Amino acid sequence: MAPRSKARTVLAALREDLLGDVLAPEDPGYDEARAVFNGMVDRRPAVIARCAHTADVVRAVCFARDLDLPVAVRGGGHDLGGRALGDNALVADLRRMREVTVDPATQAVRVGGGTTTGDLDRAARPYGLATTGSRASGAGVGGFVLGGGSGWLERVFGPAVDNLVAVELVSADGERLHASADDGPELFWALHGGGGNFGVATALTLELHELPRFSLALTLCPAESGPRVVRAFREVLGTAPDAVGGAVLYLTGPPPELVPSRLAGRRLCAALLTCAGGTEELRALAAPLRALPHEAHLVGEVPYADAQRLLDVPPGLRCHGSAECLGALPDAAADVFCALGADMPARAGTRLALFPLGGAVAAGAHAYPVAYRDAPWLVHPLAVWADPADDERCAGWVRRVRTAVGPWSTGAVCPTLIGDEGPERVRAGLGAGNTLRLEKVKRRYDPDNVFRFDRNIRPI
Protein backbone atom coordinates (compact mmCIF):
# COMPACT_ATOMS: atom_id res chain seq x y z
CA MET A 1 0.00 0.00 0.00
CA ALA A 2 1.38 3.44 -0.93
CA PRO A 3 2.35 5.62 2.05
CA ARG A 4 -0.37 8.23 1.43
CA SER A 5 -2.99 5.59 0.92
CA LYS A 6 -1.93 3.83 4.11
CA ALA A 7 -2.04 7.11 6.03
CA ARG A 8 -5.59 7.82 4.85
CA THR A 9 -6.70 4.31 5.75
CA VAL A 10 -5.14 4.40 9.20
CA LEU A 11 -6.50 7.91 9.86
CA ALA A 12 -10.00 6.77 8.92
CA ALA A 13 -9.65 3.88 11.35
CA LEU A 14 -8.49 6.24 14.11
CA ARG A 15 -11.51 8.49 13.52
CA GLU A 16 -13.74 5.45 13.82
CA ASP A 17 -12.07 4.07 16.95
CA LEU A 18 -11.69 7.21 19.08
CA LEU A 19 -14.48 8.38 21.31
CA GLY A 20 -12.90 11.82 21.06
CA ASP A 21 -12.36 13.88 17.91
CA VAL A 22 -9.59 13.51 15.35
CA LEU A 23 -8.48 16.59 13.44
CA ALA A 24 -6.21 16.75 10.39
CA PRO A 25 -4.98 19.99 8.75
CA GLU A 26 -7.87 20.08 6.27
CA ASP A 27 -10.56 19.71 8.96
CA PRO A 28 -12.69 22.55 10.35
CA GLY A 29 -11.54 23.44 13.83
CA TYR A 30 -7.94 22.35 13.24
CA ASP A 31 -6.46 25.86 13.59
CA GLU A 32 -8.39 26.49 16.78
CA ALA A 33 -7.28 23.14 18.19
CA ARG A 34 -3.59 23.88 17.55
CA ALA A 35 -3.64 27.28 19.26
CA VAL A 36 -1.78 27.30 22.58
CA PHE A 37 -1.20 29.84 25.34
CA ASN A 38 1.82 31.49 23.67
CA GLY A 39 0.68 33.30 20.54
CA MET A 40 4.21 33.10 19.10
CA VAL A 41 3.86 29.34 18.63
CA ASP A 42 2.70 28.37 15.13
CA ARG A 43 3.17 24.66 14.57
CA ARG A 44 1.22 22.33 12.33
CA PRO A 45 0.74 18.81 13.69
CA ALA A 46 -0.11 16.02 11.27
CA VAL A 47 -2.98 14.88 13.49
CA ILE A 48 -4.62 16.15 16.68
CA ALA A 49 -6.32 13.42 18.68
CA ARG A 50 -8.71 14.87 21.26
CA CYS A 51 -8.67 11.93 23.62
CA ALA A 52 -11.67 11.30 25.89
CA HIS A 53 -10.14 8.52 28.02
CA THR A 54 -7.05 6.37 28.37
CA ALA A 55 -8.15 3.92 25.69
CA ASP A 56 -8.18 6.82 23.22
CA VAL A 57 -4.62 7.68 24.21
CA VAL A 58 -3.52 4.09 23.61
CA ARG A 59 -5.11 4.09 20.16
CA ALA A 60 -3.61 7.46 19.29
CA VAL A 61 -0.09 6.40 20.29
CA CYS A 62 -0.40 3.15 18.33
CA PHE A 63 -1.60 5.15 15.32
CA ALA A 64 1.44 7.39 15.57
CA ARG A 65 3.80 4.43 15.79
CA ASP A 66 2.16 2.81 12.77
CA LEU A 67 2.92 5.91 10.70
CA ASP A 68 6.28 6.63 12.37
CA LEU A 69 5.05 9.94 13.80
CA PRO A 70 6.50 11.52 16.95
CA VAL A 71 4.01 12.28 19.73
CA ALA A 72 3.43 15.58 21.48
CA VAL A 73 1.25 15.76 24.59
CA ARG A 74 -1.13 18.60 25.34
CA GLY A 75 -2.45 19.07 28.85
CA GLY A 76 -3.01 22.76 29.53
CA GLY A 77 -1.01 23.97 26.51
CA HIS A 78 0.46 26.65 28.76
CA ASP A 79 4.16 25.89 28.30
CA LEU A 80 6.06 28.96 27.07
CA GLY A 81 7.98 26.91 24.52
CA GLY A 82 4.82 25.51 22.94
CA ARG A 83 5.90 21.95 23.64
CA ALA A 84 2.30 20.75 23.50
CA LEU A 85 2.63 20.84 19.71
CA GLY A 86 5.02 19.44 17.14
CA ASP A 87 5.23 19.99 13.41
CA ASN A 88 4.19 16.82 11.53
CA ALA A 89 3.51 15.07 14.83
CA LEU A 90 0.52 13.46 16.45
CA VAL A 91 -0.77 15.57 19.34
CA ALA A 92 -2.42 13.63 22.14
CA ASP A 93 -4.77 16.39 23.32
CA LEU A 94 -5.93 15.52 26.85
CA ARG A 95 -8.14 18.53 27.52
CA ARG A 96 -11.26 16.35 27.69
CA MET A 97 -9.62 14.29 30.46
CA ARG A 98 -10.06 16.78 33.31
CA GLU A 99 -11.74 14.70 35.99
CA VAL A 100 -10.62 15.44 39.55
CA THR A 101 -11.34 13.05 42.44
CA VAL A 102 -10.51 14.21 45.97
CA ASP A 103 -10.19 11.66 48.77
CA PRO A 104 -10.32 13.71 51.98
CA ALA A 105 -9.74 10.63 54.14
CA THR A 106 -6.30 9.96 52.67
CA GLN A 107 -5.69 13.61 51.70
CA ALA A 108 -4.96 12.67 48.11
CA VAL A 109 -6.34 13.71 44.73
CA ARG A 110 -6.37 11.92 41.39
CA VAL A 111 -6.43 14.21 38.35
CA GLY A 112 -6.83 13.44 34.67
CA GLY A 113 -4.05 14.29 32.25
CA GLY A 114 -5.79 17.43 30.98
CA THR A 115 -6.58 18.89 34.39
CA THR A 116 -5.50 22.49 34.98
CA THR A 117 -4.25 24.06 38.19
CA GLY A 118 -7.57 25.90 38.48
CA ASP A 119 -9.53 22.64 38.18
CA LEU A 120 -7.49 21.07 40.99
CA ASP A 121 -7.64 24.09 43.28
CA ARG A 122 -11.41 24.41 42.97
CA ALA A 123 -12.00 20.71 43.58
CA ALA A 124 -9.85 20.64 46.75
CA ARG A 125 -11.17 23.91 48.18
CA PRO A 126 -14.40 22.57 49.77
CA TYR A 127 -12.31 20.16 51.88
CA GLY A 128 -9.88 22.80 53.12
CA LEU A 129 -7.09 21.00 51.24
CA ALA A 130 -4.49 22.09 48.68
CA THR A 131 -1.16 21.22 47.16
CA THR A 132 1.56 23.27 45.48
CA GLY A 133 0.14 24.47 42.18
CA SER A 134 1.27 26.67 39.32
CA ARG A 135 1.03 30.43 39.68
CA ALA A 136 -0.95 30.33 36.42
CA SER A 137 -4.39 28.78 36.91
CA GLY A 138 -4.60 27.64 33.28
CA ALA A 139 -1.39 25.60 33.43
CA GLY A 140 -1.81 21.85 33.04
CA VAL A 141 -1.14 19.90 36.22
CA GLY A 142 0.69 17.10 34.40
CA GLY A 143 3.37 19.18 32.71
CA PHE A 144 3.74 21.43 35.73
CA VAL A 145 4.20 18.61 38.24
CA LEU A 146 6.42 16.35 36.12
CA GLY A 147 8.67 19.32 35.34
CA GLY A 148 9.21 20.09 39.04
CA GLY A 149 6.61 22.73 39.79
CA SER A 150 7.34 26.05 41.54
CA GLY A 151 4.36 27.73 43.21
CA TRP A 152 3.20 29.88 46.13
CA LEU A 153 3.06 26.94 48.55
CA GLU A 154 6.46 25.40 47.78
CA ARG A 155 8.18 26.76 50.91
CA VAL A 156 5.67 24.94 53.12
CA PHE A 157 4.64 21.90 51.01
CA GLY A 158 7.64 21.57 48.69
CA PRO A 159 7.72 21.79 44.89
CA ALA A 160 4.72 20.20 43.21
CA VAL A 161 6.65 17.08 42.29
CA ASP A 162 7.45 16.38 45.96
CA ASN A 163 3.73 15.73 46.37
CA LEU A 164 3.55 13.17 43.55
CA VAL A 165 2.17 9.83 44.76
CA ALA A 166 1.63 7.93 41.50
CA VAL A 167 1.41 8.38 37.74
CA GLU A 168 -0.61 6.44 35.18
CA LEU A 169 0.81 6.71 31.71
CA VAL A 170 0.78 5.25 28.22
CA SER A 171 4.21 4.26 26.97
CA ALA A 172 5.68 4.68 23.49
CA ASP A 173 4.53 1.18 22.53
CA GLY A 174 0.97 1.79 23.74
CA GLU A 175 1.33 -0.06 27.04
CA ARG A 176 -0.47 1.20 30.14
CA LEU A 177 1.99 1.74 32.98
CA HIS A 178 1.69 2.66 36.64
CA ALA A 179 4.57 4.30 38.47
CA SER A 180 4.88 4.86 42.20
CA ALA A 181 7.48 4.43 44.91
CA ASP A 182 6.74 0.68 44.99
CA ASP A 183 5.74 0.10 41.36
CA GLY A 184 8.37 0.99 38.77
CA PRO A 185 10.48 3.05 41.20
CA GLU A 186 13.10 4.02 38.59
CA LEU A 187 10.44 5.36 36.24
CA PHE A 188 8.80 7.10 39.20
CA TRP A 189 12.14 8.72 40.03
CA ALA A 190 12.46 9.94 36.43
CA LEU A 191 9.01 11.48 36.52
CA HIS A 192 10.14 13.70 39.42
CA GLY A 193 11.44 16.47 37.19
CA GLY A 194 12.14 14.54 33.98
CA GLY A 195 8.98 15.88 32.37
CA GLY A 196 6.89 14.24 29.70
CA ASN A 197 9.71 12.28 28.11
CA PHE A 198 8.60 8.81 29.14
CA GLY A 199 4.97 8.53 28.09
CA VAL A 200 1.58 10.22 28.10
CA ALA A 201 0.58 10.91 31.70
CA THR A 202 -3.13 10.11 31.65
CA ALA A 203 -3.61 10.56 35.42
CA LEU A 204 -1.62 11.69 38.45
CA THR A 205 -2.22 11.15 42.14
CA LEU A 206 -0.99 13.93 44.42
CA GLU A 207 -0.76 14.42 48.15
CA LEU A 208 -2.97 17.16 49.57
CA HIS A 209 -2.36 19.20 52.71
CA GLU A 210 -4.64 20.98 55.12
CA LEU A 211 -5.06 24.61 54.10
CA PRO A 212 -8.16 25.96 55.81
CA ARG A 213 -6.90 29.56 55.51
CA PHE A 214 -4.73 31.44 53.05
CA SER A 215 -3.80 35.11 53.20
CA LEU A 216 -1.92 37.78 51.29
CA ALA A 217 -0.18 41.06 52.08
CA LEU A 218 0.44 43.25 49.04
CA THR A 219 2.42 46.50 49.17
CA LEU A 220 2.54 48.53 45.95
CA CYS A 221 5.40 51.01 45.78
CA PRO A 222 6.69 53.41 43.12
CA ALA A 223 9.14 51.67 40.81
CA GLU A 224 11.97 53.93 41.95
CA SER A 225 11.61 52.52 45.47
CA GLY A 226 12.57 49.06 44.21
CA PRO A 227 15.98 48.81 45.93
CA ARG A 228 14.41 49.54 49.32
CA VAL A 229 11.57 47.11 48.63
CA VAL A 230 13.92 44.25 47.72
CA ARG A 231 16.11 44.81 50.76
CA ALA A 232 13.12 44.94 53.11
CA PHE A 233 11.60 41.85 51.51
CA ARG A 234 14.92 40.01 51.85
CA GLU A 235 15.02 40.80 55.56
CA VAL A 236 11.41 39.73 56.10
CA LEU A 237 11.92 36.38 54.39
CA GLY A 238 15.16 35.84 56.27
CA THR A 239 13.21 35.30 59.48
CA ALA A 240 9.79 34.23 58.15
CA PRO A 241 8.45 30.73 58.82
CA ASP A 242 8.14 28.27 55.96
CA ALA A 243 4.40 28.95 55.75
CA VAL A 244 5.25 32.40 54.34
CA GLY A 245 6.35 32.93 50.75
CA GLY A 246 5.63 35.47 48.06
CA ALA A 247 7.59 37.60 45.59
CA VAL A 248 8.92 41.00 44.70
CA LEU A 249 7.32 41.94 41.39
CA TYR A 250 7.94 44.71 38.92
CA LEU A 251 4.71 45.04 36.99
CA THR A 252 2.55 47.40 34.98
CA GLY A 253 -1.17 47.85 35.41
CA PRO A 254 -2.05 45.45 38.25
CA PRO A 255 -5.55 43.95 38.36
CA PRO A 256 -8.01 46.85 38.86
CA GLU A 257 -9.95 44.90 41.47
CA LEU A 258 -6.85 44.97 43.69
CA VAL A 259 -5.64 48.56 43.39
CA PRO A 260 -7.00 52.07 42.97
CA SER A 261 -7.81 52.99 39.37
CA ARG A 262 -5.24 55.81 39.51
CA LEU A 263 -2.49 53.17 39.44
CA ALA A 264 -3.66 51.54 36.21
CA GLY A 265 -0.87 51.46 33.65
CA ARG A 266 1.81 52.67 36.07
CA ARG A 267 5.11 50.91 36.61
CA LEU A 268 5.20 49.63 40.18
CA CYS A 269 7.35 47.51 42.44
CA ALA A 270 5.17 45.19 44.50
CA ALA A 271 6.05 43.20 47.59
CA LEU A 272 3.70 40.23 47.90
CA LEU A 273 3.69 38.03 50.99
CA THR A 274 1.67 34.82 50.93
CA CYS A 275 0.80 32.80 54.00
CA ALA A 276 -0.57 29.29 54.49
CA GLY A 277 -2.65 30.57 57.37
CA GLY A 278 -4.43 33.67 58.63
CA THR A 279 -3.50 37.34 58.67
CA GLU A 280 -2.42 37.69 62.30
CA GLU A 281 1.22 36.75 61.80
CA LEU A 282 1.29 38.13 58.29
CA ARG A 283 0.39 41.66 59.43
CA ALA A 284 3.37 41.73 61.76
CA LEU A 285 5.74 40.37 59.11
CA ALA A 286 4.51 42.90 56.54
CA ALA A 287 5.14 45.88 58.84
CA PRO A 288 8.62 46.74 57.42
CA LEU A 289 7.14 46.72 53.92
CA ARG A 290 4.15 48.81 54.94
CA ALA A 291 6.58 51.33 56.45
CA LEU A 292 8.04 52.07 53.00
CA PRO A 293 6.58 54.88 50.86
CA HIS A 294 3.77 53.12 49.05
CA GLU A 295 0.77 53.69 46.81
CA ALA A 296 -1.41 50.98 48.30
CA HIS A 297 -1.23 48.28 50.98
CA LEU A 298 -3.64 45.39 51.31
CA VAL A 299 -3.80 42.54 53.82
CA GLY A 300 -6.50 39.91 53.95
CA GLU A 301 -7.59 36.33 53.66
CA VAL A 302 -8.50 35.02 50.22
CA PRO A 303 -9.38 31.54 49.00
CA TYR A 304 -6.22 29.89 47.69
CA ALA A 305 -7.99 29.06 44.42
CA ASP A 306 -8.66 32.76 43.89
CA ALA A 307 -5.12 33.80 44.81
CA GLN A 308 -3.84 31.42 42.15
CA ARG A 309 -5.46 33.58 39.46
CA LEU A 310 -3.84 36.88 40.48
CA LEU A 311 -1.03 36.69 37.91
CA ASP A 312 -3.00 35.06 35.09
CA VAL A 313 -2.33 36.32 31.57
CA PRO A 314 -4.95 35.89 28.82
CA PRO A 315 -4.03 33.20 26.28
CA GLY A 316 -3.07 34.08 22.74
CA LEU A 317 -0.65 36.94 23.43
CA ARG A 318 2.98 36.64 22.46
CA CYS A 319 5.26 35.85 25.38
CA HIS A 320 8.74 34.77 26.33
CA GLY A 321 10.11 33.93 29.74
CA SER A 322 13.06 32.40 31.50
CA ALA A 323 14.48 31.90 34.97
CA GLU A 324 17.72 31.92 36.92
CA CYS A 325 18.26 30.46 40.38
CA LEU A 326 20.52 32.58 42.56
CA GLY A 327 22.93 31.26 45.15
CA ALA A 328 22.74 34.54 47.07
CA LEU A 329 21.08 37.95 46.94
CA PRO A 330 23.68 40.55 47.99
CA ASP A 331 22.96 44.24 47.55
CA ALA A 332 24.70 44.25 44.17
CA ALA A 333 22.35 41.54 42.88
CA ALA A 334 19.34 43.38 44.31
CA ASP A 335 20.38 46.56 42.51
CA VAL A 336 20.83 44.73 39.21
CA PHE A 337 17.39 43.17 39.62
CA CYS A 338 15.82 46.59 40.20
CA ALA A 339 17.58 48.14 37.21
CA LEU A 340 16.19 45.35 35.04
CA GLY A 341 12.72 46.00 36.44
CA ALA A 342 13.01 49.68 35.57
CA ASP A 343 13.96 48.67 32.03
CA MET A 344 11.04 46.25 31.66
CA PRO A 345 8.81 46.62 28.57
CA ALA A 346 5.61 48.37 29.66
CA ARG A 347 2.74 45.99 28.99
CA ALA A 348 0.10 44.54 31.30
CA GLY A 349 1.10 40.96 32.08
CA THR A 350 4.84 41.58 31.70
CA ARG A 351 6.63 41.19 35.01
CA LEU A 352 9.96 40.59 36.65
CA ALA A 353 9.65 38.37 39.70
CA LEU A 354 11.98 37.51 42.54
CA PHE A 355 10.74 34.39 44.36
CA PRO A 356 12.12 33.14 47.69
CA LEU A 357 12.86 29.42 47.84
CA GLY A 358 14.26 27.59 50.86
CA GLY A 359 11.97 25.97 53.41
CA ALA A 360 10.47 22.72 52.16
CA VAL A 361 12.14 23.21 48.75
CA ALA A 362 15.59 22.85 50.30
CA ALA A 363 14.45 20.21 52.78
CA GLY A 364 12.95 17.91 50.14
CA ALA A 365 14.32 14.70 48.67
CA HIS A 366 17.61 15.59 47.01
CA ALA A 367 17.62 12.18 45.33
CA TYR A 368 15.05 13.42 42.81
CA PRO A 369 16.15 15.30 39.64
CA VAL A 370 15.25 18.74 40.99
CA ALA A 371 18.57 20.52 40.66
CA TYR A 372 17.58 23.93 42.02
CA ARG A 373 16.68 22.85 45.58
CA ASP A 374 19.58 24.58 47.30
CA ALA A 375 19.09 27.97 45.62
CA PRO A 376 17.53 30.49 48.02
CA TRP A 377 16.19 32.82 45.31
CA LEU A 378 14.70 32.52 41.84
CA VAL A 379 14.47 35.33 39.25
CA HIS A 380 11.74 34.95 36.63
CA PRO A 381 11.31 37.48 33.80
CA LEU A 382 8.15 37.14 31.71
CA ALA A 383 7.52 39.42 28.74
CA VAL A 384 4.02 39.63 27.23
CA TRP A 385 3.13 41.60 24.10
CA ALA A 386 0.78 41.64 21.12
CA ASP A 387 2.65 43.13 18.15
CA PRO A 388 5.14 40.86 16.30
CA ALA A 389 7.21 43.96 15.67
CA ASP A 390 8.06 43.92 19.39
CA ASP A 391 9.42 40.37 19.34
CA GLU A 392 13.10 41.21 19.52
CA ARG A 393 12.70 44.06 22.01
CA CYS A 394 10.68 42.01 24.46
CA ALA A 395 12.51 38.69 24.09
CA GLY A 396 15.79 40.62 24.22
CA TRP A 397 14.85 42.04 27.62
CA VAL A 398 14.34 38.49 28.96
CA ARG A 399 17.77 37.51 27.67
CA ARG A 400 19.32 40.59 29.28
CA VAL A 401 17.84 39.62 32.63
CA ARG A 402 19.45 36.18 32.44
CA THR A 403 22.81 37.65 31.49
CA ALA A 404 22.76 40.39 34.11
CA VAL A 405 22.00 38.09 37.06
CA GLY A 406 24.42 35.46 35.76
CA PRO A 407 27.19 36.29 38.26
CA TRP A 408 24.94 35.05 41.09
CA SER A 409 23.32 32.14 39.25
CA THR A 410 23.77 28.57 40.43
CA GLY A 411 23.30 27.33 36.86
CA ALA A 412 20.31 25.22 37.86
CA VAL A 413 16.80 26.14 36.77
CA CYS A 414 13.16 25.24 37.30
CA PRO A 415 12.33 23.79 33.85
CA THR A 416 8.65 24.75 33.94
CA LEU A 417 9.54 28.46 34.01
CA ILE A 418 11.62 28.62 30.84
CA GLY A 419 10.95 28.56 27.13
CA ASP A 420 12.91 26.66 24.48
CA GLU A 421 16.53 27.38 25.38
CA GLY A 422 18.31 24.32 24.00
CA PRO A 423 19.68 21.02 25.31
CA GLU A 424 22.39 22.54 27.51
CA ARG A 425 19.76 24.45 29.42
CA VAL A 426 17.89 21.18 29.94
CA ARG A 427 21.02 19.61 31.41
CA ALA A 428 21.49 22.62 33.67
CA GLY A 429 17.90 22.36 34.82
CA LEU A 430 18.23 18.69 35.67
CA GLY A 431 21.89 18.39 36.63
CA ALA A 432 24.48 16.44 34.65
CA GLY A 433 24.36 13.34 36.87
CA ASN A 434 20.57 13.27 36.83
CA THR A 435 20.53 13.72 33.07
CA LEU A 436 22.69 10.65 32.53
CA ARG A 437 20.41 8.54 34.70
CA LEU A 438 17.33 9.96 32.96
CA GLU A 439 18.80 9.07 29.58
CA LYS A 440 19.07 5.45 30.69
CA VAL A 441 15.44 5.44 31.82
CA LYS A 442 14.51 6.99 28.49
CA ARG A 443 16.28 4.18 26.63
CA ARG A 444 14.19 1.63 28.49
CA TYR A 445 10.79 3.26 28.03
CA ASP A 446 11.19 5.28 24.80
CA PRO A 447 14.25 4.04 22.88
CA ASP A 448 13.02 5.62 19.62
CA ASN A 449 12.51 9.05 21.22
CA VAL A 450 8.85 9.16 20.26
CA PHE A 451 8.19 11.70 23.03
CA ARG A 452 10.72 14.33 21.99
CA PHE A 453 8.96 17.68 22.31
CA ASP A 454 9.10 18.25 26.06
CA ARG A 455 12.60 19.40 27.17
CA ASN A 456 13.99 16.40 25.37
CA ILE A 457 15.99 13.73 27.11
CA ARG A 458 17.58 11.52 24.47
CA PRO A 459 17.93 7.77 25.02
CA ILE A 460 21.45 6.39 25.38
Side-chain angles (χ1 to χ4, degrees), residues 244-322:
V244 174
V248 174
L249 297 154
Y250 276 89
L251 43 77
T252 304
E257 65 272 16
L258 286 180
V259 301
S261 58
R262 61 184 171 80
L263 299 180
R266 283 185 55 183
R267 179 73 53 83
L268 299 167
C269 182
L272 174 66
L273 293 177
T274 63
C275 181
T279 61
E280 297 83 359
E281 186 174 22
L282 194 60
R283 288 183 188 277
L285 285 169
L289 298 165
R290 187 173 62 250
L292 298 173
H294 59 269
E295 300 288 349
H297 178 77
L298 308 166
V299 181
E301 289 192 29
V302 296
Y304 174 65
D306 293 346
Q308 288 283 73
R309 300 199 295 267
L310 290 179
L311 297 182
D312 279 0
V313 175
L317 293 169
R318 306 173 79 80
C319 53
H320 181 60
S322 190

Side-chain angles (χ1 to χ4, degrees), residues 13-24:
L14 182 66
R15 293 185 194 274
E16 182 69 23
D17 288 345
L18 249 66
L19 178 62
D21 304 320
V22 177
L23 298 173

